[in-house]
Amino acid sequence: MAVTLEQAQKVGCTCLKALLRFAFMVANNLVAIPSYVLYLIVLQPLRILDSKSFWYIEGVLFKWLLAMVASWGWWAGYTVVEWGDDVKAVSEDEAMVLVNHQATGDVCTLMMCLQDKGTVVRQMMWLMDHIFKYTNFGIVSLIHGDFFIRQGRAHRDQQLVLLKDHLEKYYRSRNRKWIVLFPEGGFLRKRRETSQAFAKKNNLPFLKHVTLPRVGATQVILKTLVAPQENGTPPGGDAVRKGSRSKGLQWVIDTTIAYPKAEPIDIQTWILGYRQPAVTHVHYRIFPVKDVPAEPEALTNWLYQRFIEKEDLLTHFYETGAFPPPQGQTKAISREMTLSNLWLVAIQSFAFLSGGMWYCFFQYLYHCLF
């Protein structure tokens, strides 16, 4: 089939745009990540004198780094529409976020849609596969205090012990409030067949859009972070009023990500922007932690039920283009999530100016020494 001149030009423009975006992303990483590390090295005396202020500044820098990642997708036209409960109502409380996992773009989507949720991003802890420790962003996550979990049955028990120790050491000492995990333990395309075989063997529902979750990390988080006595109330109630929050984990936020035509966006697409602009849909449902069972068997059933509900949500979305309305309501209301281009430009400018400043500093230091 012959390629027309117009088609060739379109492909050429797409490739050129992807190349320029990749070059910008590389430059962005080369200035932003070393600057983050160097700022925190310089601020080590503050960490000793005033740990709270140090981790506040670190959290702000961390949020800006995640905003830079969000900007790559935002400027490519990859936007987010939100459904369900308004998580801003509990943004100042401690919460565990359970997310379905389809592709590397899931993390980028969360980096984007949580940017406008108050202090959430800078006070957030992520649980991610240990392989991410060896990526360009690994040093940032290590400093921030995220937990890298090693997958596989052979490592499971040890990893859960390490997770408990990690939470006890870093979660409250660094004033973390939200913790994000992907209970499925891997991408949908990799785990679906195994999950369906397990479901068939154990007389569980057949799931196509999600997989049955693993319970271990969820159970450890609840045991470690939930206060002995909980008094959470539904979103919008007394628990979100100033001065009435109890200590400890208060909420579980069940988060469901849906992509157009069930085609996930991966990190390569997010960076290069070769896919046409697309809207990712994110659905939230908030549960008071007091309603989440603590016993292992009951917790397993509760978590399975959440992912069965996700399956229903995603089936409805892929059939109708919208999530179903909440129980008792006739219409689902969506909210378009927006980012300020001016703010994103300001953050990017700060990163490049910081990179230039550190370069000049080390050049000066080199000339002084040699």
PDB file of all heavy atoms in Angstrom, residues 64-85:
ATOM      1  N   TRP A  64       7.187  18.617  43.512  1.00  0.00           N
ATOM      2  CA  TRP A  64       7.555  19.294  42.270  1.00  0.00           C
ATOM      3  C   TRP A  64       8.129  18.315  41.251  1.00  0.00           C
ATOM      4  O   TRP A  64       7.847  18.420  40.056  1.00  0.00           O
ATOM      5  CB  TRP A  64       8.564  20.399  42.571  1.00  0.00           C
ATOM      6  CG  TRP A  64       7.962  21.561  43.300  1.00  0.00           C
ATOM      7  CD1 TRP A  64       6.646  21.750  43.609  1.00  0.00           C
ATOM      8  CD2 TRP A  64       8.649  22.714  43.813  1.00  0.00           C
ATOM      9  NE1 TRP A  64       6.474  22.928  44.291  1.00  0.00           N
ATOM     10  CE2 TRP A  64       7.682  23.546  44.434  1.00  0.00           C
ATOM     11  CE3 TRP A  64       9.984  23.098  43.834  1.00  0.00           C
ATOM     12  CZ2 TRP A  64       8.009  24.744  45.046  1.00  0.00           C
ATOM     13  CZ3 TRP A  64      10.326  24.307  44.443  1.00  0.00           C
ATOM     14  CH2 TRP A  64       9.346  25.124  45.038  1.00  0.00           C
ATOM     15  N   LEU A  65       8.916  17.348  41.720  1.00  0.00           N
ATOM     16  CA  LEU A  65       9.444  16.341  40.803  1.00  0.00           C
ATOM     17  C   LEU A  65       8.312  15.540  40.165  1.00  0.00           C
ATOM     18  O   LEU A  65       8.321  15.264  38.964  1.00  0.00           O
ATOM     19  CB  LEU A  65      10.394  15.394  41.548  1.00  0.00           C
ATOM     20  CG  LEU A  65      11.790  15.917  41.868  1.00  0.00           C
ATOM     21  CD1 LEU A  65      12.566  14.887  42.662  1.00  0.00           C
ATOM     22  CD2 LEU A  65      12.556  16.262  40.593  1.00  0.00           C
ATOM     23  N   LEU A  66       7.326  15.151  40.972  1.00  0.00           N
ATOM     24  CA  LEU A  66       6.191  14.409  40.434  1.00  0.00           C
ATOM     25  C   LEU A  66       5.362  15.280  39.488  1.00  0.00           C
ATOM     26  O   LEU A  66       4.786  14.767  38.519  1.00  0.00           O
ATOM     27  CB  LEU A  66       5.324  13.869  41.577  1.00  0.00           C
ATOM     28  CG  LEU A  66       5.664  12.452  42.053  1.00  0.00           C
ATOM     29  CD1 LEU A  66       7.124  12.361  42.526  1.00  0.00           C
ATOM     30  CD2 LEU A  66       4.726  12.006  43.165  1.00  0.00           C
ATOM     31  N   ALA A  67       5.312  16.575  39.776  1.00  0.00           N
ATOM     32  CA  ALA A  67       4.602  17.494  38.875  1.00  0.00           C
ATOM     33  C   ALA A  67       5.300  17.573  37.525  1.00  0.00           C
ATOM     34  O   ALA A  67       4.642  17.713  36.484  1.00  0.00           O
ATOM     35  CB  ALA A  67       4.506  18.875  39.506  1.00  0.00           C
ATOM     36  N   MET A  68       6.625  17.489  37.518  1.00  0.00           N
ATOM     37  CA  MET A  68       7.360  17.496  36.248  1.00  0.00           C
ATOM     38  C   MET A  68       7.006  16.276  35.415  1.00  0.00           C
ATOM     39  O   MET A  68       6.799  16.369  34.203  1.00  0.00           O
ATOM     40  CB  MET A  68       8.862  17.539  36.518  1.00  0.00           C
ATOM     41  CG  MET A  68       9.352  18.842  37.116  1.00  0.00           C
ATOM     42  SD  MET A  68      11.113  18.790  37.499  1.00  0.00           S
ATOM     43  CE  MET A  68      11.193  20.058  38.785  1.00  0.00           C
ATOM     44  N   VAL A  69       6.916  15.108  36.078  1.00  0.00           N
ATOM     45  CA  VAL A  69       6.497  13.895  35.371  1.00  0.00           C
ATOM     46  C   VAL A  69       5.069  14.066  34.843  1.00  0.00           C
ATOM     47  O   VAL A  69       4.758  13.704  33.712  1.00  0.00           O
ATOM     48  CB  VAL A  69       6.587  12.666  36.293  1.00  0.00           C
ATOM     49  CG1 VAL A  69       6.063  11.417  35.585  1.00  0.00           C
ATOM     50  CG2 VAL A  69       8.022  12.458  36.759  1.00  0.00           C
ATOM     51  N   ALA A  70       4.203  14.638  35.681  1.00  0.00           N
ATOM     52  CA  ALA A  70       2.821  14.878  35.253  1.00  0.00           C
ATOM     53  C   ALA A  70       2.765  15.796  34.050  1.00  0.00           C
ATOM     54  O   ALA A  70       1.926  15.624  33.155  1.00  0.00           O
ATOM     55  CB  ALA A  70       2.016  15.475  36.407  1.00  0.00           C
ATOM     56  N   SER A  71       3.670  16.776  33.990  1.00  0.00           N
ATOM     57  CA  SER A  71       3.649  17.747  32.895  1.00  0.00           C
ATOM     58  C   SER A  71       3.937  17.099  31.549  1.00  0.00           C
ATOM     59  O   SER A  71       3.425  17.546  30.522  1.00  0.00           O
ATOM     60  CB  SER A  71       4.665  18.865  33.160  1.00  0.00           C
ATOM     61  OG  SER A  71       6.001  18.410  33.002  1.00  0.00           O
ATOM     62  N   TRP A  72       4.757  16.045  31.534  1.00  0.00           N
ATOM     63  CA  TRP A  72       5.047  15.383  30.261  1.00  0.00           C
ATOM     64  C   TRP A  72       3.766  14.841  29.638  1.00  0.00           C
ATOM     65  O   TRP A  72       3.561  14.957  28.426  1.00  0.00           O
ATOM     66  CB  TRP A  72       6.043  14.231  30.454  1.00  0.00           C
ATOM     67  CG  TRP A  72       7.313  14.619  31.141  1.00  0.00           C
ATOM     68  CD1 TRP A  72       7.837  15.874  31.279  1.00  0.00           C
ATOM     69  CD2 TRP A  72       8.216  13.751  31.839  1.00  0.00           C
ATOM     70  NE1 TRP A  72       9.010  15.825  31.998  1.00  0.00           N
ATOM     71  CE2 TRP A  72       9.267  14.544  32.358  1.00  0.00           C
ATOM     72  CE3 TRP A  72       8.247  12.378  32.073  1.00  0.00           C
ATOM     73  CZ2 TRP A  72      10.327  14.002  33.082  1.00  0.00           C
ATOM     74  CZ3 TRP A  72       9.296  11.836  32.796  1.00  0.00           C
ATOM     75  CH2 TRP A  72      10.333  12.640  33.289  1.00  0.00           C
ATOM     76  N   GLY A  73       2.899  14.232  30.461  1.00  0.00           N
ATOM     77  CA  GLY A  73       1.634  13.721  29.942  1.00  0.00           C
ATOM     78  C   GLY A  73       0.631  14.828  29.683  1.00  0.00           C
ATOM     79  O   GLY A  73      -0.103  14.803  28.689  1.00  0.00           O
ATOM     80  N   TRP A  74       0.597  15.815  30.588  1.00  0.00           N
ATOM     81  CA  TRP A  74      -0.367  16.910  30.464  1.00  0.00           C
ATOM     82  C   TRP A  74      -0.166  17.664  29.155  1.00  0.00           C
ATOM     83  O   TRP A  74      -1.120  17.964  28.450  1.00  0.00           O
ATOM     84  CB  TRP A  74      -0.207  17.840  31.667  1.00  0.00           C
ATOM     85  CG  TRP A  74      -1.147  19.000  31.681  1.00  0.00           C
ATOM     86  CD1 TRP A  74      -0.867  20.314  31.357  1.00  0.00           C
ATOM     87  CD2 TRP A  74      -2.539  18.983  32.034  1.00  0.00           C
ATOM     88  NE1 TRP A  74      -1.970  21.090  31.492  1.00  0.00           N
ATOM     89  CE2 TRP A  74      -3.017  20.299  31.911  1.00  0.00           C
ATOM     90  CE3 TRP A  74      -3.408  17.977  32.449  1.00  0.00           C
ATOM     91  CZ2 TRP A  74      -4.336  20.637  32.187  1.00  0.00           C
ATOM     92  CZ3 TRP A  74      -4.720  18.318  32.721  1.00  0.00           C
ATOM     93  CH2 TRP A  74      -5.169  19.632  32.585  1.00  0.00           C
ATOM     94  N   TRP A  75       1.089  17.957  28.827  1.00  0.00           N
ATOM     95  CA  TRP A  75       1.383  18.711  27.603  1.00  0.00           C
ATOM     96  C   TRP A  75       1.221  17.862  26.344  1.00  0.00           C
ATOM     97  O   TRP A  75       1.168  18.391  25.238  1.00  0.00           O
ATOM     98  CB  TRP A  75       2.785  19.306  27.693  1.00  0.00           C
ATOM     99  CG  TRP A  75       2.852  20.465  28.663  1.00  0.00           C
ATOM    100  CD1 TRP A  75       1.825  21.276  29.029  1.00  0.00           C
ATOM    101  CD2 TRP A  75       3.994  20.909  29.406  1.00  0.00           C
ATOM    102  NE1 TRP A  75       2.249  22.215  29.949  1.00  0.00           N
ATOM    103  CE2 TRP A  75       3.578  22.015  30.209  1.00  0.00           C
ATOM    104  CE3 TRP A  75       5.319  20.496  29.496  1.00  0.00           C
ATOM    105  CZ2 TRP A  75       4.447  22.700  31.050  1.00  0.00           C
ATOM    106  CZ3 TRP A  75       6.183  21.184  30.343  1.00  0.00           C
ATOM    107  CH2 TRP A  75       5.753  22.268  31.102  1.00  0.00           C
ATOM    108  N   ALA A  76       1.125  16.533  26.499  1.00  0.00           N
ATOM    109  CA  ALA A  76       0.841  15.654  25.361  1.00  0.00           C
ATOM    110  C   ALA A  76      -0.659  15.453  25.162  1.00  0.00           C
ATOM    111  O   ALA A  76      -1.080  14.780  24.228  1.00  0.00           O
ATOM    112  CB  ALA A  76       1.521  14.299  25.557  1.00  0.00           C
ATOM    113  N   GLY A  77      -1.459  16.036  26.067  1.00  0.00           N
ATOM    114  CA  GLY A  77      -2.908  15.912  25.947  1.00  0.00           C
ATOM    115  C   GLY A  77      -3.482  14.722  26.684  1.00  0.00           C
ATOM    116  O   GLY A  77      -4.639  14.340  26.451  1.00  0.00           O
ATOM    117  N   TYR A  78      -2.713  14.123  27.595  1.00  0.00           N
ATOM    118  CA  TYR A  78      -3.210  13.000  28.387  1.00  0.00           C
ATOM    119  C   TYR A  78      -3.778  13.567  29.700  1.00  0.00           C
ATOM    120  O   TYR A  78      -3.032  13.869  30.636  1.00  0.00           O
ATOM    121  CB  TYR A  78      -2.101  11.994  28.662  1.00  0.00           C
ATOM    122  CG  TYR A  78      -1.425  11.491  27.404  1.00  0.00           C
ATOM    123  CD1 TYR A  78      -0.060  11.228  27.365  1.00  0.00           C
ATOM    124  CD2 TYR A  78      -2.152  11.291  26.226  1.00  0.00           C
ATOM    125  CE1 TYR A  78       0.561  10.781  26.214  1.00  0.00           C
ATOM    126  CE2 TYR A  78      -1.548  10.840  25.073  1.00  0.00           C
ATOM    127  CZ  TYR A  78      -0.188  10.590  25.065  1.00  0.00           C
ATOM    128  OH  TYR A  78       0.416  10.156  23.902  1.00  0.00           O
ATOM    129  N   THR A  79      -5.071  13.715  29.746  1.00  0.00           N
ATOM    130  CA  THR A  79      -5.733  14.362  30.874  1.00  0.00           C
ATOM    131  C   THR A  79      -6.503  13.337  31.714  1.00  0.00           C
ATOM    132  O   THR A  79      -6.579  12.161  31.357  1.00  0.00           O
ATOM    133  CB  THR A  79      -6.681  15.463  30.384  1.00  0.00           C
ATOM    134  OG1 THR A  79      -7.642  14.886  29.493  1.00  0.00           O
ATOM    135  CG2 THR A  79      -5.910  16.544  29.643  1.00  0.00           C
ATOM    136  N   VAL A  80      -7.073  13.815  32.812  1.00  0.00           N
ATOM    137  CA  VAL A  80      -7.771  12.930  33.750  1.00  0.00           C
ATOM    138  C   VAL A  80      -9.148  13.487  34.088  1.00  0.00           C
ATOM    139  O   VAL A  80      -9.301  14.686  34.321  1.00  0.00           O
ATOM    140  CB  VAL A  80      -6.961  12.757  35.052  1.00  0.00           C
ATOM    141  CG1 VAL A  80      -7.764  11.994  36.094  1.00  0.00           C
ATOM    142  CG2 VAL A  80      -5.651  12.018  34.777  1.00  0.00           C
ATOM    143  N   VAL A  81     -10.149  12.607  34.116  1.00  0.00           N
ATOM    144  CA  VAL A  81     -11.481  12.931  34.626  1.00  0.00           C
ATOM    145  C   VAL A  81     -11.726  12.030  35.832  1.00  0.00           C
ATOM    146  O   VAL A  81     -11.454  10.825  35.777  1.00  0.00           O
ATOM    147  CB  VAL A  81     -12.562  12.717  33.546  1.00  0.00           C
ATOM    148  CG1 VAL A  81     -13.959  12.723  34.165  1.00  0.00           C
ATOM    149  CG2 VAL A  81     -12.464  13.803  32.484  1.00  0.00           C
ATOM    150  N   GLU A  82     -12.224  12.614  36.910  1.00  0.00           N
ATOM    151  CA  GLU A  82     -12.408  11.882  38.162  1.00  0.00           C
ATOM    152  C   GLU A  82     -13.891  11.647  38.445  1.00  0.00           C
ATOM    153  O   GLU A  82     -14.732  12.475  38.114  1.00  0.00           O
ATOM    154  CB  GLU A  82     -11.754  12.651  39.314  1.00  0.00           C
ATOM    155  CG  GLU A  82     -10.238  12.807  39.130  1.00  0.00           C
ATOM    156  CD  GLU A  82      -9.596  13.638  40.214  1.00  0.00           C
ATOM    157  OE1 GLU A  82     -10.069  14.773  40.462  1.00  0.00           O
ATOM    158  OE2 GLU A  82      -8.622  13.176  40.832  1.00  0.00           O
ATOM    159  N   TRP A  83     -14.171  10.516  39.093  1.00  0.00           N
ATOM    160  CA  TRP A  83     -15.539  10.094  39.404  1.00  0.00           C
ATOM    161  C   TRP A  83     -15.610   9.627  40.853  1.00  0.00           C
ATOM    162  O   TRP A  83     -14.595   9.369  41.487  1.00  0.00           O
ATOM    163  CB  TRP A  83     -15.956   8.928  38.502  1.00  0.00           C
ATOM    164  CG  TRP A  83     -15.879   9.184  37.033  1.00  0.00           C
ATOM    165  CD1 TRP A  83     -14.747   9.235  36.268  1.00  0.00           C
ATOM    166  CD2 TRP A  83     -16.972   9.402  36.138  1.00  0.00           C
ATOM    167  NE1 TRP A  83     -15.068   9.477  34.951  1.00  0.00           N
ATOM    168  CE2 TRP A  83     -16.424   9.583  34.839  1.00  0.00           C
ATOM    169  CE3 TRP A  83     -18.354   9.453  36.293  1.00  0.00           C
ATOM    170  CZ2 TRP A  83     -17.217   9.808  33.726  1.00  0.00           C
ATOM    171  CZ3 TRP A  83     -19.141   9.681  35.173  1.00  0.00           C
ATOM    172  CH2 TRP A  83     -18.576   9.859  33.908  1.00  0.00           C
ATOM    173  N   GLY A  84     -16.814   9.503  41.346  1.00  0.00           N
ATOM    174  CA  GLY A  84     -17.021   8.933  42.671  1.00  0.00           C
ATOM    175  C   GLY A  84     -16.800   9.934  43.787  1.00  0.00           C
ATOM    176  O   GLY A  84     -17.050  11.139  43.635  1.00  0.00           O
ATOM    177  N   ASP A  85     -16.324   9.448  44.932  1.00  0.00           N
ATOM    178  CA  ASP A  85     -16.125  10.292  46.108  1.00  0.00           C
ATOM    179  C   ASP A  85     -15.046  11.351  45.855  1.00  0.00           C
ATOM    180  O   ASP A  85     -14.099  11.111  45.089  1.00  0.00           O
ATOM    181  CB  ASP A  85     -15.726   9.442  47.311  1.00  0.00           C
ATOM    182  CG  ASP A  85     -16.827   8.493  47.751  1.00  0.00           C
ATOM    183  OD1 ASP A  85     -18.006   8.828  47.533  1.00  0.00           O
ATOM    184  OD2 ASP A  85     -16.504   7.429  48.306  1.00  0.00           O
TER     185      ASP A  85
END
